[in-house]
């Protein structure tokens, strides 16, 4: 029989555990002023919640075990990779501007609490007594529904895309012989400018679909069904965060600026004179998120790219303005 802790959906206990875990990570990172545990604390928190809710739920149905294991596998991979990467590189420059400001740094960790708790909701609710305690009002339809299969397949594809593309980019950046005047265009990066983000989005849609069968094929109460359907905020939050928050926006313009300055900046070198034209060619033939073969993507109408394929105007680097600023800075330096 399931253990009831604070509420029937395990919302409160997971909030408390996540908050305590993240604030502990913040205290360590702030005290020692380093980045080595920041991403690891976020990723490992998913593992902690998956294991905790499965064990205290005490209902070891096949679906619960499979969903929990998939989340723990995803969490182990992402936390381990990010820890390994920061240990190899020594620091994470994404945090340079906020690490020395207490409130900004704390704000980041509070955002991480919201991210972990919200994205974990499908599994948290599935493992809760309200859904899985069949001795009361829960339901456990036989494992193997179309949603179970679809969820696992979607998660597996997403996990492979995320894992492979992360490894490809890390190897590329570590290889000193790779050309500096061109963006990465190896493996999955030929088809997408941000394949790890696409893979992560697929993973969490897969988890939500996998967790949904008690509502679609079982006999849950209307409130429990609402809770499961409502946990769609997990994949939606992931999509919105990566498309409009800490994902694509924080990567697109900074990378464009880097290649622009390599060709047109004050310290531009002759060997990098083609860097900006190389980058613009890369934009023309490489989908921003959804993997598409370059031969298919390049001739597509701009309207399709800017709408259905999600390459929104907000991601566009203002080349004209950057050129004017570069000329202005050069003129001022000659005064």
């Amino acid at each position: 029989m399931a253990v009831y802790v604070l509420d029937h959906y395990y919302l409160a206990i997971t909030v408390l555990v996540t908050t305590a875990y993240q604030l502990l990570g913040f205290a360590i990172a702030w005290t020692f002023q380093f980045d080595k545990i920041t991403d690891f604390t976020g990723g490992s928190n998913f593992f902690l919640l998956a294991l905790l809710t499965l064990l205290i739920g005490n209902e070891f149905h096949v679906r619960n075990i499979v969903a929990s294991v998939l989340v723990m596998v995803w969490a182990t991979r992402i936390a381990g990779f990010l820890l390994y990467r920061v240990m190899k590189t020594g620091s994470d420059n994404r945090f340079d501007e906020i690490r020395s400001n207490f409130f900004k740094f704390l704000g980041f960790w509070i955002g991480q609490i919201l991210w972990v708790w919200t994205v974990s909701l499908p599994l948290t609710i599935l493992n809760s007594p309200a859904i899985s305690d069949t001795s009361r009002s829960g339901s456990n339809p036989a494992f193997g529904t179309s949603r179970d299969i679809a969820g696992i397949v979607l998660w597996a594809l997403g996990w492979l895309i995320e894992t492979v593309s992360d490894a490809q980019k890390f190897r590329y950046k570590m290889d000193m012989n790779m050309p500096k005047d061109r963006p990465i265009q190896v493996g999955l990066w030929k088809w997408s400018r941000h394949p790890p983000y696409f893979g992560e989005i697929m993973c969490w849609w897969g988890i939500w679909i996998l967790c949904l069968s008690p509502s679609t094929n079982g006999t849950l109460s209307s409130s429990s069904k609402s809770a499961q359907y409502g946990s769609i905020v997990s994949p939606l939050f992931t999509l919105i965060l990566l498309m409009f928050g800490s994902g694509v926006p924080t990567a697109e313009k900074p990378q464009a600026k880097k290649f622009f300055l390599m060709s047109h900046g004050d310290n531009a070198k002759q060997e990098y004179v083609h860097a900006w034209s190389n980058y613009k060619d890369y934009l023309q033939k490489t989908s921003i998120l959804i993997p598409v073969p370059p031969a298919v993507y390049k001739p597509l109408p701009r309207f399709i790219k800017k709408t259905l394929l999600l390459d929104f105007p907000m991601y566009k680097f203002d080349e004209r303005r950057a050129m004017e600023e570069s000329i202005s800075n050069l003129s001022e330096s000659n005064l």
Side-chain angles (χ1 to χ4, degrees), residues 70-295:
L70 293 186
V71 170
M72 287 188 280
V73 168
W74 179 87
T76 300
R77 205 286 307 179
I78 193 76
F81 170 73
L82 293 175
L83 179 62
Y84 175 76
R85 186 178 68 180
V86 77
M87 293 297 289
K88 290 286 288 187
T89 57
S91 65
D92 192 330
N93 57 19
R94 293 175 302 162
F95 303 113
D96 288 347
E97 294 184 7
I98 65 171
R99 192 189 307 109
S100 59
N101 185 302
F102 178 87
F103 293 104
K104 286 184 178 180
F105 200 40
L106 177 61
F108 170 84
W109 286 83
I110 291 173
Q112 195 151 264
I113 292 171
L114 177 64
W115 168 58
V116 173
W117 184 81
T118 302
V119 175
S120 295
L121 279 176
L123 181 62
T124 296
I125 292 172
L126 173 68
N127 284 340
S128 71
I131 307 301
S132 294
D133 188 353
T134 54
S135 66
R136 300 198 181 183
S137 59
S139 182
N140 178 43
F143 182 74
T145 68
S146 59
R147 287 170 184 79
D148 293 335
I149 296 170
I152 292 172
V153 170
L154 195 60
W155 179 90
L157 289 174
W159 188 83
L160 284 173
I161 290 171
E162 188 177 9
T163 302
V164 170
S165 56
D166 271 341
Q168 288 172 338
K169 186 171 186 178
F170 184 76
R171 286 199 299 268
Y172 183 89
K173 294 181 72 173
M174 292 294 104
D175 188 345
M176 302 304 295
N177 295 320
M178 290 298 177
K180 304 301 182 184
D181 61 344
R182 296 177 184 272
I184 177 174
Q185 297 177 70
V186 298
L188 291 167
W189 296 87
K190 291 181 181 178
W191 290 29
S192 170
R193 296 184 337 239
H194 302 285
Y197 296 156
F198 180 73
E200 184 169 337
I201 291 167
M202 286 183 68
C203 280
W204 288 105
W205 277 108
I207 292 297
W208 179 70
I209 293 170
L210 170 60
C211 293
L212 205 56
S213 288
S215 287
T216 58
N217 297 73
T219 56
L220 292 177
S221 66
S222 59
S223 59
S224 294
K225 287 183 178 180
S226 296
Q228 280 215 298
Y229 286 126
S231 66
I232 196 174
V233 297
S234 166
L236 287 177
F237 185 86
T238 301
L239 175 64
I240 292 170
L241 181 67
L242 293 179
M243 289 301 297
F244 304 107
S246 63
V248 175
T250 62
E252 277 293 296
K253 288 185 179 179
Q255 179 167 245
K257 183 177 181 179
K258 182 185 79 170
F259 285 101
F260 177 82
L261 292 177
M262 286 175 71
S263 293
H264 302 291
D266 295 342
N267 299 314
K269 298 179 181 179
Q270 183 61 33
E271 61 185 302
Y272 299 142
V273 66
H274 297 298
W276 182 236
S277 60
N278 291 339
Y279 184 75
K280 289 195 292 184
D281 178 64
Y282 161 77
L283 293 182
Q284 290 296 317
K285 67 183 182 182
T286 313
S287 172
I288 192 167
L289 182 71
I290 303 169
V292 179

